[in-house]
Amino acid sequence: MASDFSVALSKMTEDLDLQKVYIAENFEEIKVSTFEVNRPGLELTGYFDFFDSSRLLLFGTTEFSYLSRFGSEAQKMVIDSILSFGPPAIIISRNIEPPIAMMESAKTHKVSILRSAETTSEVTAALFQYLNKELAPRITRHGVLVEVYGEGCLLLGDSGVGKSETAIELIKRGHRLVADDAVEIRKTSTHTLMGQSPENIRHFIELRGIGIINARQLFGMGSVKLTEKIDIVINLEIWDNTKVYDRMGLDNQYMDILGVEVPTLTIPVKPGRNLAVIIEVAAMNNRQKKLGYNAAQELLSALGMDFDMSQTEKVIVDKWE
């Protein structure tokens, strides 16, 4: 499946530590823009009706065993027919030495040949994982991403509401900063969003009245993290006396980010509220809900009430007041 994003073949080669067997003249210009990897099967027999030339070609023991049945001329004819479509590169597993016919064909069609010592399955898994990350749909949101008790908490809100200050307090309490000010969000699977910081501002935090600080240098390596899954979105907003805020937590709210529904909370901010502690509780409560426990439902069960949201909150509040 094609992606709106691409990764340079040279960068992929370096990141995955692939050996360069043959490098084409345009190696630095080649981009990989699809998640899938093609292990030629029917293509070796000459069937190309559904062949996708944008995919990387992966050759392992099975493919080379089939090619070994042919003489050098027949091998070159088969490989020529595949490389004539111009795939980004050939990747060989198990450090297998490519046949002369493949080398000649690669030079003719300017297709680079890369190699790995890993098994074909391991190379396939590594490529899928890498390409899913690099080619994932992504957006950048203004906010702060912190890891609290293993939960990725994305803090959103207007500028000046206190997101960075809250992040500092959370770091002081033993939690970890992932990104401040700008959060790059990538959809790495159907139900998973991963967040990270742009590389040029990674681990930096802006605090009004103090300026820019480096959280890693100030608080140590244990206070930062490169990436984190986004488990909950917490909206911070100035307390509005005319607005009714959720006091039960029965009705789960969600925010759509890149087609993924993420649980979301709105926390009102006013002097005297310890936001760091509230966010810690929100993170632990979100984990409990994922494990199947809901405190509000247990309370209603203890009171012998049903889960009618139209009357529940009013009755509970009346009982307590």
Side-chain angles (χ1 to χ4, degrees):
M1 181 177 63
S3 168
D4 294 332
F5 302 94
S6 63
V7 59
L9 180 61
S10 56
K11 181 179 184 299
M12 187 196 77
T13 302
E14 181 179 349
D15 291 345
L16 296 179
D17 195 23
L18 298 174
Q19 178 188 351
K20 300 174 183 177
V21 179
Y22 167 72
I23 298 301
E25 296 176 2
N26 59 342
F27 179 73
E28 297 294 336
E29 303 170 6
I30 297 175
K31 305 288 185 181
V32 180
S33 58
T34 184
F35 298 93
E36 287 88 355
V37 176
N38 191 3
R39 288 193 66 181
L42 290 175
E43 292 82 7
L44 295 175
T45 67
Y47 184 79
F48 294 99
D49 284 9
F50 297 96
F51 181 69
D52 186 350
S53 61
S54 65
R55 299 181 184 181
L56 293 163
L57 287 175
L58 179 59
F59 279 76
T61 305
T62 303
E63 291 75 20
F64 283 117
S65 176
Y66 179 81
L67 285 174
S68 66
R69 297 183 176 187
F70 304 100
S72 59
E73 288 299 322
Q75 282 185 15
K76 191 172 188 308
M77 185 180 301
V78 170
I79 298 173
D80 269 339
S81 61
I82 297 175
L83 299 191
S84 64
F85 287 89
I90 294 175
I91 300 177
I92 300 174
S93 63
R94 296 181 180 272
N95 268 344
I96 299 173
E97 193 68 30
I100 296 175
M102 177 175 284
M103 293 295 294
E104 293 177 349
S105 183
K107 292 176 182 178
T108 301
H109 298 285
K110 298 181 180 179
V111 177
S112 300
I113 299 178
L114 309 172
R115 186 165 59 184
S116 172
E118 306 293 336
T119 66
T120 309
S121 296
E122 290 170 338
V123 174
T124 303
L127 286 171
F128 278 142
Q129 183 180 16
Y130 180 81
L131 293 175
N132 275 332
K133 175 186 174 184
E134 293 295 325
L135 306 182
R138 70 198 70 168
I139 59 171
T140 299
R141 296 292 294 269
H142 174 67
V144 174
L145 180 59
V146 287
E147 182 214 311
V148 180
Y149 296 127
E151 297 285 294
C153 301
L154 177 62
L155 309 183
L156 302 179
D158 294 337
S159 181
V161 77
K163 299 184 295 296
S164 297
E165 291 79 359
T166 302
I168 286 291
E169 177 64 22
L170 288 168
I171 292 173
K172 291 285 289 182
R173 296 174 69 88
H175 307 293
R176 294 191 284 183
L177 172 74
V178 181
D180 177 70
D181 192 50
V183 183
E184 288 184 353
I185 303 173
R186 302 189 184 206
K187 182 181 178 181
T188 56
S189 72
T190 308
H191 304 291
T192 304
L193 296 174
M194 297 297 296
Q196 65 181 33
S197 171
E199 189 172 356
N200 57 348
I201 61 170
R202 185 171 294 157
H203 305 151
F204 288 96
I205 300 180
E206 176 197 353
L207 294 172
R208 286 173 175 81
I210 296 179
I212 304 296
I213 67 167
N214 188 317
R216 185 183 67 180
Q217 297 294 334
L218 200 59
F219 300 105
M221 290 298 297
S223 66
V224 296
K225 193 173 184 182
L226 294 180
T227 63
E228 179 59 43
K229 178 183 175 184
I230 297 177
D231 297 291
I232 185 171
V233 175
I234 299 176
N235 290 298
L236 302 180
E237 65 175 45
I238 301 300
W239 191 296
D240 184 354
N241 290 325
T242 65
K243 186 174 181 178
V244 178
Y245 295 102
D246 188 5
R247 298 178 64 180
M248 288 294 295
L250 274 173
D251 188 17
N252 294 325
Q253 302 294 325
Y254 295 90
M255 174 181 288
D256 184 286
I257 302 177
L258 294 173
V260 178
E261 296 291 320
V262 184
T264 182
L265 299 173
T266 297
I267 296 180
V269 178
K270 70 176 182 179
R273 300 201 88 197
N274 191 325
L275 291 180
V277 173
I278 294 172
I279 289 171
E280 285 182 331
V281 173
M284 290 187 287
N285 189 53
N286 186 62
R287 172 171 286 186
Q288 275 194 327
K289 286 184 177 180
K290 289 192 295 186
L291 294 175
Y293 175 80
N294 189 308
Q297 289 181 0
E298 183 180 5
L299 175 61
L300 292 184
S301 297
L303 295 173
M305 300 172 59
D306 58 29
F307 300 159
D308 182 5
M309 287 302 300
S310 62
Q311 298 296 327
T312 294
E313 183 169 327
K314 181 179 184 303
V315 173
I316 290 293
V317 171
D318 289 343
K319 278 181 176 287
W320 285 347
E321 295 180 350

